[in-house]
Short mmCIF file of all heavy atoms in Angstrom, two decimals:
data_model
loop_
_atom_site.label_atom_id
_atom_site.label_comp_id
_atom_site.label_asym_id
_atom_site.label_seq_id
_atom_site.Cartn_x
_atom_site.Cartn_y
_atom_site.Cartn_z
N LEU O 1 -16.57 -50.46 -34.88
CA LEU O 1 -17.75 -50.78 -34.18
C LEU O 1 -17.58 -50.34 -32.67
O LEU O 1 -18.51 -49.86 -32.09
CB LEU O 1 -18.25 -52.19 -34.33
CG LEU O 1 -19.62 -52.44 -33.93
CD1 LEU O 1 -20.68 -51.56 -34.62
CD2 LEU O 1 -19.99 -53.89 -34.39
N ALA O 2 -16.42 -50.77 -32.18
CA ALA O 2 -16.17 -50.44 -30.69
C ALA O 2 -16.28 -48.95 -30.49
O ALA O 2 -16.82 -48.50 -29.47
CB ALA O 2 -14.82 -51.03 -30.39
N GLU O 3 -15.66 -48.18 -31.42
CA GLU O 3 -15.57 -46.80 -31.18
C GLU O 3 -16.96 -46.16 -31.31
O GLU O 3 -17.35 -45.13 -30.57
CB GLU O 3 -14.69 -46.19 -32.30
CG GLU O 3 -14.36 -44.65 -31.96
CD GLU O 3 -13.24 -44.16 -32.88
OE1 GLU O 3 -12.33 -44.92 -33.32
OE2 GLU O 3 -13.34 -43.05 -33.29
N VAL O 4 -17.80 -46.67 -32.18
CA VAL O 4 -19.14 -46.14 -32.18
C VAL O 4 -19.95 -46.33 -30.84
O VAL O 4 -20.57 -45.43 -30.38
CB VAL O 4 -19.97 -46.91 -33.34
CG1 VAL O 4 -21.48 -46.56 -33.28
CG2 VAL O 4 -19.45 -46.47 -34.75
N HIS O 5 -19.81 -47.55 -30.32
CA HIS O 5 -20.40 -47.86 -29.01
C HIS O 5 -19.80 -47.02 -27.95
O HIS O 5 -20.55 -46.49 -27.03
CB HIS O 5 -20.22 -49.33 -28.63
CG HIS O 5 -21.15 -50.25 -29.29
ND1 HIS O 5 -22.47 -50.32 -28.98
CD2 HIS O 5 -20.99 -51.10 -30.32
CE1 HIS O 5 -23.08 -51.24 -29.74
NE2 HIS O 5 -22.19 -51.68 -30.57
N GLU O 6 -18.56 -46.72 -28.03
CA GLU O 6 -17.87 -45.91 -26.98
C GLU O 6 -18.24 -44.44 -27.09
O GLU O 6 -18.69 -43.82 -26.10
CB GLU O 6 -16.37 -46.00 -27.11
CG GLU O 6 -15.56 -45.13 -26.20
CD GLU O 6 -14.05 -45.12 -26.49
OE1 GLU O 6 -13.62 -45.84 -27.34
OE2 GLU O 6 -13.39 -44.40 -25.75
N THR O 7 -18.19 -43.84 -28.26
CA THR O 7 -18.31 -42.37 -28.39
C THR O 7 -19.71 -41.89 -28.80
O THR O 7 -20.06 -40.85 -28.30
CB THR O 7 -17.31 -41.79 -29.41
OG1 THR O 7 -17.58 -42.42 -30.74
CG2 THR O 7 -15.91 -42.07 -29.05
N HIS O 8 -20.40 -42.70 -29.61
CA HIS O 8 -21.71 -42.22 -30.01
C HIS O 8 -22.90 -42.80 -29.26
O HIS O 8 -23.91 -42.09 -29.09
CB HIS O 8 -21.92 -42.52 -31.53
CG HIS O 8 -20.85 -41.75 -32.37
ND1 HIS O 8 -20.96 -40.39 -32.51
CD2 HIS O 8 -19.86 -42.27 -33.07
CE1 HIS O 8 -19.83 -40.05 -33.31
NE2 HIS O 8 -19.25 -41.19 -33.62
N LEU O 9 -22.75 -44.00 -28.76
CA LEU O 9 -23.82 -44.66 -28.05
C LEU O 9 -23.61 -44.73 -26.56
O LEU O 9 -24.52 -45.04 -25.89
CB LEU O 9 -24.01 -46.09 -28.64
CG LEU O 9 -24.35 -46.19 -30.15
CD1 LEU O 9 -24.36 -47.65 -30.47
CD2 LEU O 9 -25.61 -45.45 -30.45
N SER O 10 -22.39 -44.34 -26.12
CA SER O 10 -22.12 -44.32 -24.67
C SER O 10 -22.40 -45.72 -24.05
O SER O 10 -22.84 -45.79 -22.93
CB SER O 10 -22.82 -43.25 -23.89
OG SER O 10 -22.46 -42.00 -24.46
N ASN O 11 -22.10 -46.77 -24.77
CA ASN O 11 -22.33 -48.15 -24.39
C ASN O 11 -21.03 -48.74 -24.13
O ASN O 11 -20.35 -49.37 -24.93
CB ASN O 11 -23.10 -48.94 -25.37
CG ASN O 11 -23.56 -50.31 -24.82
OD1 ASN O 11 -22.91 -50.86 -23.87
ND2 ASN O 11 -24.57 -50.88 -25.36
N LEU O 12 -20.46 -48.55 -22.80
CA LEU O 12 -19.14 -48.97 -22.54
C LEU O 12 -18.87 -50.45 -22.52
O LEU O 12 -17.91 -51.01 -22.97
CB LEU O 12 -18.67 -48.36 -21.22
CG LEU O 12 -18.69 -46.81 -21.14
CD1 LEU O 12 -18.32 -46.31 -19.69
CD2 LEU O 12 -17.80 -46.22 -22.14
N GLU O 13 -19.99 -51.21 -22.11
CA GLU O 13 -19.87 -52.67 -22.07
C GLU O 13 -19.71 -53.20 -23.51
O GLU O 13 -18.88 -54.05 -23.69
CB GLU O 13 -21.14 -53.23 -21.39
CG GLU O 13 -21.01 -53.45 -19.94
CD GLU O 13 -22.24 -54.22 -19.38
OE1 GLU O 13 -22.60 -55.22 -19.98
OE2 GLU O 13 -22.68 -53.78 -18.41
N GLU O 14 -20.48 -52.74 -24.42
CA GLU O 14 -20.34 -53.18 -25.79
C GLU O 14 -19.10 -52.79 -26.39
O GLU O 14 -18.43 -53.52 -27.17
CB GLU O 14 -21.55 -52.73 -26.67
CG GLU O 14 -22.81 -53.55 -26.50
CD GLU O 14 -22.68 -54.94 -26.93
OE1 GLU O 14 -22.19 -55.25 -28.00
OE2 GLU O 14 -23.06 -55.84 -26.14
N ALA O 15 -18.64 -51.57 -26.10
CA ALA O 15 -17.30 -51.04 -26.59
C ALA O 15 -16.16 -51.98 -26.09
O ALA O 15 -15.34 -52.35 -26.90
CB ALA O 15 -17.13 -49.63 -26.20
N ALA O 16 -16.26 -52.24 -24.82
CA ALA O 16 -15.21 -53.17 -24.30
C ALA O 16 -15.16 -54.49 -24.88
O ALA O 16 -14.15 -55.07 -25.21
CB ALA O 16 -15.36 -53.26 -22.76
N ALA O 17 -16.46 -55.05 -25.17
CA ALA O 17 -16.49 -56.35 -25.79
C ALA O 17 -15.87 -56.25 -27.15
O ALA O 17 -15.15 -57.29 -27.61
CB ALA O 17 -17.94 -56.75 -25.82
N HIS O 18 -16.14 -55.28 -27.96
CA HIS O 18 -15.62 -55.22 -29.31
C HIS O 18 -14.11 -54.97 -29.35
O HIS O 18 -13.41 -55.50 -30.15
CB HIS O 18 -16.42 -54.13 -30.12
CG HIS O 18 -17.76 -54.48 -30.53
ND1 HIS O 18 -18.00 -55.39 -31.46
CD2 HIS O 18 -18.94 -54.05 -30.01
CE1 HIS O 18 -19.27 -55.53 -31.63
NE2 HIS O 18 -19.91 -54.73 -30.80
N TYR O 19 -13.65 -54.13 -28.39
CA TYR O 19 -12.25 -53.93 -28.26
C TYR O 19 -11.53 -55.27 -27.93
O TYR O 19 -10.45 -55.62 -28.42
CB TYR O 19 -11.87 -52.82 -27.31
CG TYR O 19 -12.08 -51.41 -27.74
CD1 TYR O 19 -12.79 -50.51 -27.04
CD2 TYR O 19 -11.59 -50.97 -28.96
CE1 TYR O 19 -13.01 -49.26 -27.42
CE2 TYR O 19 -11.83 -49.70 -29.40
CZ TYR O 19 -12.54 -48.83 -28.63
OH TYR O 19 -12.77 -47.53 -29.04
N GLY O 20 -12.13 -56.00 -26.97
CA GLY O 20 -11.64 -57.30 -26.58
C GLY O 20 -11.56 -58.27 -27.79
O GLY O 20 -10.61 -58.99 -27.89
N ALA O 21 -12.63 -58.26 -28.59
CA ALA O 21 -12.64 -59.15 -29.75
C ALA O 21 -11.55 -58.76 -30.72
O ALA O 21 -10.90 -59.65 -31.34
CB ALA O 21 -14.06 -59.06 -30.47
N ALA O 22 -11.30 -57.49 -30.89
CA ALA O 22 -10.21 -57.01 -31.78
C ALA O 22 -8.89 -57.46 -31.25
O ALA O 22 -7.99 -57.89 -32.01
CB ALA O 22 -10.24 -55.49 -31.86
N LEU O 23 -8.74 -57.47 -29.90
CA LEU O 23 -7.45 -57.92 -29.35
C LEU O 23 -7.29 -59.43 -29.36
O LEU O 23 -6.13 -59.89 -29.52
CB LEU O 23 -7.35 -57.44 -27.90
CG LEU O 23 -7.10 -55.98 -27.74
CD1 LEU O 23 -7.30 -55.50 -26.35
CD2 LEU O 23 -5.72 -55.59 -28.32
N GLN O 24 -8.46 -60.14 -29.42
CA GLN O 24 -8.29 -61.60 -29.58
C GLN O 24 -7.85 -61.93 -31.03
O GLN O 24 -7.05 -62.85 -31.25
CB GLN O 24 -9.59 -62.25 -29.39
CG GLN O 24 -9.97 -62.44 -27.90
CD GLN O 24 -11.27 -63.14 -27.68
OE1 GLN O 24 -12.13 -63.31 -28.49
NE2 GLN O 24 -11.48 -63.61 -26.41
N ALA O 25 -8.23 -61.10 -31.96
CA ALA O 25 -7.81 -61.32 -33.31
C ALA O 25 -6.34 -60.89 -33.55
O ALA O 25 -5.59 -61.50 -34.31
CB ALA O 25 -8.73 -60.52 -34.28
N ASP O 26 -5.97 -59.79 -32.78
CA ASP O 26 -4.61 -59.26 -32.96
C ASP O 26 -4.18 -58.70 -31.64
O ASP O 26 -4.55 -57.51 -31.35
CB ASP O 26 -4.47 -58.33 -34.09
CG ASP O 26 -3.12 -57.64 -34.25
OD1 ASP O 26 -2.13 -58.13 -33.53
OD2 ASP O 26 -3.01 -56.69 -35.04
N GLU O 27 -3.47 -59.38 -30.85
CA GLU O 27 -3.04 -58.87 -29.50
C GLU O 27 -2.14 -57.70 -29.60
O GLU O 27 -1.89 -57.03 -28.59
CB GLU O 27 -2.45 -59.97 -28.62
CG GLU O 27 -1.14 -60.55 -29.23
CD GLU O 27 -0.62 -61.70 -28.46
OE1 GLU O 27 -1.35 -62.34 -27.70
OE2 GLU O 27 0.61 -61.98 -28.54
N ARG O 28 -1.61 -57.33 -30.77
CA ARG O 28 -0.74 -56.19 -30.89
C ARG O 28 -1.47 -54.97 -31.48
O ARG O 28 -0.90 -54.03 -31.97
CB ARG O 28 0.40 -56.55 -31.77
CG ARG O 28 1.21 -57.68 -31.24
CD ARG O 28 2.32 -58.22 -32.21
NE ARG O 28 3.29 -57.14 -32.57
CZ ARG O 28 4.28 -56.77 -31.88
NH1 ARG O 28 4.59 -57.39 -30.75
NH2 ARG O 28 5.12 -55.79 -32.27
N ASN O 29 -2.90 -55.04 -31.39
CA ASN O 29 -3.65 -53.93 -31.90
C ASN O 29 -3.61 -52.80 -31.01
O ASN O 29 -4.45 -52.72 -29.93
CB ASN O 29 -5.07 -54.47 -32.21
CG ASN O 29 -5.97 -53.44 -32.88
OD1 ASN O 29 -5.76 -52.19 -32.65
ND2 ASN O 29 -6.99 -53.92 -33.51
N LEU O 30 -2.81 -51.79 -31.25
CA LEU O 30 -2.66 -50.63 -30.33
C LEU O 30 -3.86 -49.79 -30.21
O LEU O 30 -4.25 -49.31 -29.20
CB LEU O 30 -1.43 -49.86 -30.79
CG LEU O 30 -1.03 -48.65 -29.91
CD1 LEU O 30 -0.75 -49.19 -28.44
CD2 LEU O 30 0.17 -47.91 -30.45
N SER O 31 -4.65 -49.61 -31.35
CA SER O 31 -5.86 -48.89 -31.27
C SER O 31 -6.85 -49.50 -30.34
O SER O 31 -7.57 -48.84 -29.59
CB SER O 31 -6.44 -48.70 -32.72
OG SER O 31 -5.67 -48.03 -33.54
N ALA O 32 -6.95 -50.81 -30.34
CA ALA O 32 -7.92 -51.51 -29.45
C ALA O 32 -7.42 -51.37 -27.99
O ALA O 32 -8.23 -51.18 -27.07
CB ALA O 32 -8.02 -53.01 -29.88
N LEU O 33 -6.09 -51.41 -27.70
CA LEU O 33 -5.59 -51.32 -26.46
C LEU O 33 -5.94 -49.93 -25.83
O LEU O 33 -6.28 -49.71 -24.75
CB LEU O 33 -4.11 -51.54 -26.34
CG LEU O 33 -3.69 -53.08 -26.41
CD1 LEU O 33 -2.23 -53.18 -26.63
CD2 LEU O 33 -4.14 -53.80 -25.14
N ARG O 34 -5.73 -48.90 -26.76
CA ARG O 34 -5.97 -47.50 -26.28
C ARG O 34 -7.49 -47.38 -26.00
O ARG O 34 -7.88 -46.72 -25.09
CB ARG O 34 -5.50 -46.56 -27.35
CG ARG O 34 -3.99 -46.46 -27.39
CD ARG O 34 -3.58 -45.50 -28.44
NE ARG O 34 -2.09 -45.35 -28.41
CZ ARG O 34 -1.40 -44.85 -29.38
NH1 ARG O 34 -2.00 -44.52 -30.54
NH2 ARG O 34 -0.06 -44.71 -29.31
N GLY O 35 -8.36 -47.94 -26.88
CA GLY O 35 -9.74 -47.85 -26.73
C GLY O 35 -10.19 -48.55 -25.51
O GLY O 35 -10.98 -47.96 -24.67
N LEU O 36 -9.61 -49.62 -25.12
CA LEU O 36 -9.94 -50.42 -23.96
C LEU O 36 -9.49 -49.62 -22.77
O LEU O 36 -10.27 -49.57 -21.66
CB LEU O 36 -9.29 -51.74 -24.00
CG LEU O 36 -9.90 -52.86 -23.07
CD1 LEU O 36 -11.37 -53.07 -23.27
CD2 LEU O 36 -9.16 -54.21 -23.34
N GLU O 37 -8.45 -48.90 -22.80
CA GLU O 37 -7.95 -48.11 -21.74
C GLU O 37 -8.96 -46.97 -21.46
O GLU O 37 -9.40 -46.74 -20.34
CB GLU O 37 -6.63 -47.53 -22.02
CG GLU O 37 -6.08 -46.54 -21.01
CD GLU O 37 -4.95 -45.66 -21.43
OE1 GLU O 37 -4.27 -45.97 -22.43
OE2 GLU O 37 -4.59 -44.74 -20.74
N ARG O 38 -9.46 -46.28 -22.54
CA ARG O 38 -10.42 -45.20 -22.42
C ARG O 38 -11.73 -45.71 -21.80
O ARG O 38 -12.29 -45.09 -20.90
CB ARG O 38 -10.71 -44.58 -23.76
CG ARG O 38 -9.57 -43.73 -24.29
CD ARG O 38 -10.17 -42.97 -25.53
NE ARG O 38 -10.75 -43.76 -26.48
CZ ARG O 38 -10.22 -44.37 -27.52
NH1 ARG O 38 -8.85 -44.21 -27.65
NH2 ARG O 38 -10.88 -45.09 -28.39
N VAL O 39 -12.18 -46.89 -22.31
CA VAL O 39 -13.45 -47.42 -21.75
C VAL O 39 -13.34 -47.76 -20.32
O VAL O 39 -14.18 -47.42 -19.49
CB VAL O 39 -13.79 -48.71 -22.60
CG1 VAL O 39 -14.97 -49.44 -21.90
CG2 VAL O 39 -14.24 -48.32 -24.00
N HIS O 40 -12.23 -48.44 -19.87
CA HIS O 40 -12.08 -48.71 -18.46
C HIS O 40 -11.95 -47.44 -17.64
O HIS O 40 -12.51 -47.37 -16.50
CB HIS O 40 -10.78 -49.57 -18.30
CG HIS O 40 -10.98 -51.01 -18.70
ND1 HIS O 40 -12.02 -51.78 -18.30
CD2 HIS O 40 -10.22 -51.75 -19.51
CE1 HIS O 40 -11.97 -53.01 -18.88
NE2 HIS O 40 -10.84 -53.02 -19.58
N GLU O 41 -11.24 -46.41 -18.15
CA GLU O 41 -11.21 -45.12 -17.44
C GLU O 41 -12.61 -44.54 -17.28
O GLU O 41 -12.99 -44.08 -16.20
CB GLU O 41 -10.29 -44.19 -18.18
CG GLU O 41 -10.17 -42.81 -17.49
CD GLU O 41 -9.33 -41.82 -18.20
OE1 GLU O 41 -9.10 -42.04 -19.45
OE2 GLU O 41 -8.87 -40.89 -17.46
N ALA O 42 -13.38 -44.48 -18.32
CA ALA O 42 -14.74 -43.95 -18.28
C ALA O 42 -15.59 -44.66 -17.35
O ALA O 42 -16.38 -44.12 -16.68
CB ALA O 42 -15.31 -43.89 -19.67
N ALA O 43 -15.45 -46.02 -17.25
CA ALA O 43 -16.20 -46.81 -16.33
C ALA O 43 -15.67 -46.83 -14.92
O ALA O 43 -16.33 -47.45 -14.04
CB ALA O 43 -16.25 -48.26 -16.94
N GLY O 44 -14.66 -46.14 -14.69
CA GLY O 44 -14.09 -46.16 -13.33
C GLY O 44 -13.34 -47.45 -12.95
O GLY O 44 -13.20 -47.71 -11.75
N ASN O 45 -12.92 -48.22 -13.97
CA ASN O 45 -12.32 -49.45 -13.69
C ASN O 45 -10.81 -49.31 -13.76
O ASN O 45 -10.23 -49.54 -14.71
CB ASN O 45 -12.79 -50.54 -14.69
CG ASN O 45 -12.14 -51.89 -14.50
OD1 ASN O 45 -11.22 -52.08 -13.70
ND2 ASN O 45 -12.59 -52.84 -15.36
N ALA O 46 -10.20 -48.89 -12.63
CA ALA O 46 -8.74 -48.59 -12.55
C ALA O 46 -7.93 -49.81 -12.91
O ALA O 46 -6.91 -49.69 -13.60
CB ALA O 46 -8.45 -47.97 -11.20
N GLU O 47 -8.33 -50.93 -12.40
CA GLU O 47 -7.59 -52.17 -12.61
C GLU O 47 -7.56 -52.52 -14.09
O GLU O 47 -6.44 -52.84 -14.70
CB GLU O 47 -8.17 -53.34 -11.84
CG GLU O 47 -7.42 -54.60 -11.97
CD GLU O 47 -7.95 -55.74 -11.00
OE1 GLU O 47 -8.55 -55.37 -9.97
OE2 GLU O 47 -7.86 -56.90 -11.41
N GLY O 48 -8.71 -52.43 -14.81
CA GLY O 48 -8.71 -52.72 -16.26
C GLY O 48 -7.96 -51.71 -16.99
O GLY O 48 -7.25 -51.98 -17.99
N GLN O 49 -8.00 -50.51 -16.53
CA GLN O 49 -7.26 -49.34 -17.27
C GLN O 49 -5.78 -49.58 -17.14
O GLN O 49 -4.93 -49.54 -18.16
CB GLN O 49 -7.62 -48.02 -16.61
CG GLN O 49 -6.93 -46.83 -17.30
CD GLN O 49 -7.19 -45.56 -16.60
OE1 GLN O 49 -7.82 -45.47 -15.65
NE2 GLN O 49 -6.85 -44.40 -17.38
N LEU O 50 -5.29 -49.91 -15.89
CA LEU O 50 -3.87 -50.27 -15.73
C LEU O 50 -3.41 -51.49 -16.52
O LEU O 50 -2.37 -51.47 -17.04
CB LEU O 50 -3.63 -50.43 -14.20
CG LEU O 50 -3.62 -49.17 -13.41
CD1 LEU O 50 -3.43 -49.47 -11.87
CD2 LEU O 50 -2.53 -48.12 -13.81
N GLU O 51 -4.28 -52.48 -16.60
CA GLU O 51 -3.90 -53.59 -17.44
C GLU O 51 -3.73 -53.21 -18.93
O GLU O 51 -2.82 -53.70 -19.58
CB GLU O 51 -5.01 -54.68 -17.31
CG GLU O 51 -4.71 -55.99 -18.01
CD GLU O 51 -5.72 -57.06 -17.82
OE1 GLU O 51 -6.44 -57.10 -16.79
OE2 GLU O 51 -5.94 -57.86 -18.74
N ALA O 52 -4.60 -52.35 -19.39
CA ALA O 52 -4.45 -51.97 -20.75
C ALA O 52 -3.19 -51.14 -20.98
O ALA O 52 -2.55 -51.22 -22.06
CB ALA O 52 -5.75 -51.13 -21.15
N ILE O 53 -2.91 -50.34 -20.00
CA ILE O 53 -1.71 -49.51 -20.07
C ILE O 53 -0.42 -50.41 -20.06
O ILE O 53 0.48 -50.19 -20.84
CB ILE O 53 -1.65 -48.40 -18.97
CG1 ILE O 53 -2.66 -47.44 -19.17
CG2 ILE O 53 -0.24 -47.83 -18.83
CD1 ILE O 53 -2.95 -46.46 -18.00
N ASP O 54 -0.45 -51.39 -19.18
CA ASP O 54 0.68 -52.33 -19.05
C ASP O 54 0.84 -53.06 -20.42
O ASP O 54 2.02 -53.24 -20.87
CB ASP O 54 0.44 -53.38 -18.00
CG ASP O 54 0.67 -52.85 -16.66
OD1 ASP O 54 1.36 -51.76 -16.43
OD2 ASP O 54 0.27 -53.49 -15.61
N LYS O 55 -0.18 -53.45 -21.10
CA LYS O 55 -0.09 -54.12 -22.34
C LYS O 55 0.44 -53.16 -23.39
O LYS O 55 1.26 -53.58 -24.37
CB LYS O 55 -1.47 -54.72 -22.79
CG LYS O 55 -1.78 -55.91 -21.94
CD LYS O 55 -3.11 -56.50 -22.32
CE LYS O 55 -3.53 -57.67 -21.47
NZ LYS O 55 -4.74 -58.27 -21.83
N GLN O 56 0.04 -51.93 -23.35
CA GLN O 56 0.56 -50.91 -24.32
C GLN O 56 2.08 -50.76 -24.12
O GLN O 56 2.82 -50.65 -25.06
CB GLN O 56 -0.15 -49.55 -24.19
CG GLN O 56 -1.55 -49.53 -24.61
CD GLN O 56 -2.26 -48.27 -24.33
OE1 GLN O 56 -1.88 -47.19 -24.92
NE2 GLN O 56 -3.28 -48.28 -23.50
N LEU O 57 2.48 -50.75 -22.88
CA LEU O 57 3.94 -50.47 -22.59
C LEU O 57 4.79 -51.73 -23.03
O LEU O 57 5.85 -51.58 -23.55
CB LEU O 57 4.09 -50.26 -21.07
CG LEU O 57 3.68 -48.87 -20.52
CD1 LEU O 57 3.69 -48.84 -19.05
CD2 LEU O 57 4.48 -47.76 -21.18
N ALA O 58 4.18 -52.92 -22.75
CA ALA O 58 4.92 -54.18 -23.23
C ALA O 58 5.00 -54.11 -24.71
O ALA O 58 6.06 -54.57 -25.29
CB ALA O 58 4.15 -55.38 -22.75
N LEU O 59 3.94 -53.73 -25.44
CA LEU O 59 3.99 -53.72 -26.86
C LEU O 59 4.95 -52.72 -27.40
O LEU O 59 5.81 -52.99 -28.28
CB LEU O 59 2.54 -53.40 -27.39
CG LEU O 59 2.49 -53.26 -28.93
CD1 LEU O 59 2.83 -54.53 -29.58
CD2 LEU O 59 1.03 -52.89 -29.25
N ALA O 60 5.07 -51.54 -26.73
CA ALA O 60 6.06 -50.47 -27.12
C ALA O 60 7.39 -51.00 -26.83
O ALA O 60 8.36 -50.82 -27.71
CB ALA O 60 5.81 -49.25 -26.31
N ALA O 61 7.71 -51.68 -25.73
CA ALA O 61 8.99 -52.25 -25.39
C ALA O 61 9.40 -53.34 -26.46
O ALA O 61 10.57 -53.25 -26.92
CB ALA O 61 9.07 -52.81 -24.02
N SER O 62 8.49 -54.12 -26.80
CA SER O 62 8.84 -55.26 -27.78
C SER O 62 9.06 -54.63 -29.13
O SER O 62 9.87 -55.10 -29.93
CB SER O 62 7.75 -56.30 -27.78
OG SER O 62 6.54 -55.82 -28.44
N THR O 63 8.31 -53.62 -29.52
CA THR O 63 8.48 -52.98 -30.81
C THR O 63 9.83 -52.19 -30.85
O THR O 63 10.57 -52.37 -31.84
CB THR O 63 7.31 -51.97 -31.02
OG1 THR O 63 6.11 -52.73 -31.02
CG2 THR O 63 7.56 -51.34 -32.44
N ALA O 64 10.22 -51.60 -29.81
CA ALA O 64 11.45 -50.84 -29.70
C ALA O 64 12.69 -51.85 -29.79
O ALA O 64 13.69 -51.55 -30.37
CB ALA O 64 11.50 -49.97 -28.42
N SER O 65 12.56 -53.02 -29.12
CA SER O 65 13.70 -53.96 -29.08
C SER O 65 13.80 -54.62 -30.46
O SER O 65 14.89 -55.16 -30.77
CB SER O 65 13.45 -55.00 -27.99
OG SER O 65 12.37 -55.87 -28.29
N THR O 66 12.77 -54.67 -31.31
CA THR O 66 12.95 -55.31 -32.56
C THR O 66 13.15 -54.37 -33.75
O THR O 66 13.34 -54.73 -34.83
CB THR O 66 11.71 -56.20 -32.93
OG1 THR O 66 10.52 -55.39 -32.90
CG2 THR O 66 11.55 -57.30 -31.85
N ALA O 67 13.10 -53.03 -33.44
CA ALA O 67 13.18 -52.03 -34.42
C ALA O 67 14.65 -51.95 -34.92
O ALA O 67 15.57 -52.17 -34.11
CB ALA O 67 12.76 -50.68 -33.92
N PRO O 68 14.87 -51.78 -36.25
CA PRO O 68 16.24 -51.67 -36.78
C PRO O 68 16.88 -50.44 -36.18
O PRO O 68 16.31 -49.40 -35.91
CB PRO O 68 16.07 -51.56 -38.21
CG PRO O 68 14.65 -51.37 -38.54
CD PRO O 68 13.89 -51.64 -37.25
N ARG O 69 18.18 -50.60 -35.79
CA ARG O 69 18.99 -49.48 -35.28
C ARG O 69 19.77 -48.83 -36.38
O ARG O 69 20.33 -49.57 -37.24
CB ARG O 69 19.85 -50.05 -34.14
CG ARG O 69 19.06 -50.38 -32.89
CD ARG O 69 20.06 -50.75 -31.79
NE ARG O 69 19.44 -50.81 -30.44
CZ ARG O 69 18.58 -51.71 -30.04
NH1 ARG O 69 18.00 -52.57 -30.86
NH2 ARG O 69 18.09 -51.65 -28.80
N ALA O 70 19.94 -47.57 -36.23
CA ALA O 70 20.75 -46.86 -37.26
C ALA O 70 22.14 -47.16 -36.98
O ALA O 70 22.62 -47.23 -35.77
CB ALA O 70 20.55 -45.39 -37.16
N ALA O 71 22.95 -47.43 -38.04
CA ALA O 71 24.43 -47.63 -37.85
C ALA O 71 25.10 -46.27 -37.67
O ALA O 71 24.85 -45.35 -38.31
CB ALA O 71 24.92 -48.36 -39.02
N TRP O 72 26.01 -46.29 -36.78
CA TRP O 72 26.85 -45.08 -36.57
C TRP O 72 27.94 -45.05 -37.68
O TRP O 72 28.49 -46.06 -38.13
CB TRP O 72 27.62 -45.12 -35.23
CG TRP O 72 26.66 -44.88 -34.15
CD1 TRP O 72 26.02 -45.79 -33.35
CD2 TRP O 72 26.20 -43.63 -33.67
NE1 TRP O 72 25.26 -45.26 -32.51
CE2 TRP O 72 25.27 -43.90 -32.57
CE3 TRP O 72 26.40 -42.29 -33.96
CZ2 TRP O 72 24.61 -42.86 -31.90
CZ3 TRP O 72 25.79 -41.35 -33.34
CH2 TRP O 72 24.87 -41.59 -32.29
N PRO O 73 28.23 -43.83 -38.19
CA PRO O 73 29.22 -43.86 -39.32
C PRO O 73 30.57 -44.14 -38.88
O PRO O 73 31.01 -44.21 -37.79
CB PRO O 73 29.11 -42.32 -39.67
CG PRO O 73 28.35 -41.60 -38.78
CD PRO O 73 27.63 -42.63 -37.87
#
């Protein structure tokens, strides 16, 4: 629903609200974080955009630190 508001209806406020709701349900939802980043960028909200990017980086770092490592022969 967020993507429909973002891309088809050009309703950035509603898109941000839906992406935010998705993140409340799952704070590790990378698609919602990326969508929120795009919405903030389109709205000219640099602070919101940077916050979304920071959360994506934190998620990537936590995923990388918990990923299984290959054993060396």
Side-chain angles (χ1 to χ4, degrees):
L1 194 52
E3 194 172 321
V4 170
H5 281 284
E6 177 189 357
T7 59
H8 298 291
L9 302 175
S10 299
N11 188 337
L12 299 179
E13 270 186 44
E14 280 296 313
H18 286 288
Y19 284 129
L23 288 169
Q24 283 183 341
D26 177 10
E27 63 186 17
R28 300 174 60 86
N29 185 330
L30 185 56
S31 295
L33 284 170
R34 288 178 176 160
L36 201 52
E37 176 193 349
R38 286 191 310 271
V39 167
H40 286 310
E41 180 182 19
N45 179 355
E47 186 176 327
Q49 183 183 11
L50 288 174
E51 184 178 329
I53 291 169
D54 283 343
K55 288 180 181 180
Q56 290 175 64
L57 290 172
L59 178 59
S62 71
T63 302
S65 68
T66 59
R69 290 186 165 65
W72 288 96

